[in-house]
Amino acid sequence: MPKIVVTKEEWIEKGIGNFAVGGADALLIEKMARELGCSKSSFYWYFGDREQFIRCLVDEWVRRATYEVMQCSLMEQSVDARIKVLLTSMFSTHTGKDFVYYLRRMGQENFQYRDLLEKVENDRIDFMTSLLVERGFPQEKAISLATVIYHFYLGWYERNKYLGPTANADQLTALLWEYVIQTEGGIE
């Protein structure tokens, strides 16, 4: 039987998927190797140990779920378009899984993951704040609105996370735009 070569990226994809449905307890190397159709030695070729693997998964999730979303919104010319792209991305990218929940749980026992998640959430709020300031909001008002928007997102996500991808991202973006951003005194 030919040897099946599995890439580091395939291991990371598998790990992110497993972590999002069961946390670190779902990262069983031998089981994932069977599911990928390879030997577990390929895992150790890419990752020194399970903890290094978990850190790679978390770093990749952070990159995709935060910094890629920010970069995508920066491709837009106007600040209004950047805000709308960001909001739409926030409400259209969930998969019916819960990476954040398991990362938050892991952070209860490991301060490094707690601090990392806090940094990511602060970066998200800071990014939205910067867009709102660019739109014309005073700094303090922008911070308050960005925090409200992020907490609205967390509540929405918690309520809808197991429903899978939703088609109402545009509706939620329009709702936030009308009742939070326009109503609260941004420049029109």
Side-chain angles (χ1 to χ4, degrees):
M1 183 158 109
K3 186 175 182 178
I4 296 175
V5 178
V6 175
T7 66
K8 182 177 184 178
E9 291 74 25
E10 289 172 305
W11 274 105
I12 289 172
E13 259 335 288
K14 183 70 174 161
I16 287 173
N18 283 17
F19 187 91
V21 296
D25 293 340
L27 301 176
L28 305 171
I29 309 311
E30 196 167 318
K31 182 180 180 206
M32 288 190 304
R34 270 195 314 273
E35 292 169 355
L36 289 168
C38 65
S39 70
K40 68 181 181 177
S41 65
S42 79
F43 170 87
Y44 294 104
W45 176 260
Y46 299 116
F47 311 101
D49 57 27
R50 190 168 173 269
E51 188 54 41
Q52 182 186 3
F53 180 58
I54 292 170
R55 185 56 195 227
C56 284
L57 301 180
V58 171
D59 289 347
E60 180 61 16
W61 172 81
V62 167
R63 186 185 69 73
R64 290 179 191 178
T66 301
Y67 303 112
E68 275 187 8
V69 171
M70 291 175 182
Q71 282 303 115
C72 183
S73 73
L74 290 175
M75 305 289 279
E76 298 297 322
Q77 292 294 321
S78 73
V79 68
D80 286 2
R82 288 193 291 277
I83 293 170
K84 288 176 182 177
V85 165
L86 181 62
L87 291 172
T88 302
S89 294
M90 288 168 60
F91 293 105
S92 63
T93 56
H94 89 80
T95 61
K97 297 179 181 178
D98 205 355
F99 198 99
V100 174
Y101 169 78
Y102 291 108
L103 181 56
R104 203 174 298 283
R105 272 187 51 194
M106 204 165 63
Q108 291 172 344
E109 297 172 12
N110 183 322
F111 74 91
Q112 291 174 328
Y113 290 114
R114 181 194 64 228
D115 292 349
L116 175 73
L117 184 57
E118 185 176 327
K119 180 190 178 322
V120 165
E121 291 185 313
N122 287 334
D123 287 351
R124 290 172 173 184
I125 292 169
D126 290 348
F127 184 73
M128 177 60 83
T129 298
S130 71
L131 293 176
L132 293 171
V133 166
E134 185 180 348
R135 189 171 194 278
F137 284 95
Q139 181 74 23
E140 289 305 311
K141 185 68 161 182
I143 292 169
S144 296
L145 288 176
T147 302
V148 166
I149 290 167
Y150 191 69
H151 287 113
F152 175 82
Y153 163 74
L154 290 176
W156 170 86
Y157 185 87
E158 185 63 29
R159 189 160 184 234
N160 292 283
K161 64 187 172 190
Y162 297 117
L163 300 178
T166 59
N168 66 348
D170 291 333
Q171 290 173 317
L172 289 168
T173 297
L175 178 79
L176 285 168
W177 187 263
E178 180 179 350
Y179 291 103
V180 177
I181 296 170
Q182 284 183 341
T183 304
E184 289 300 319
I187 298 169
E188 270 309 301

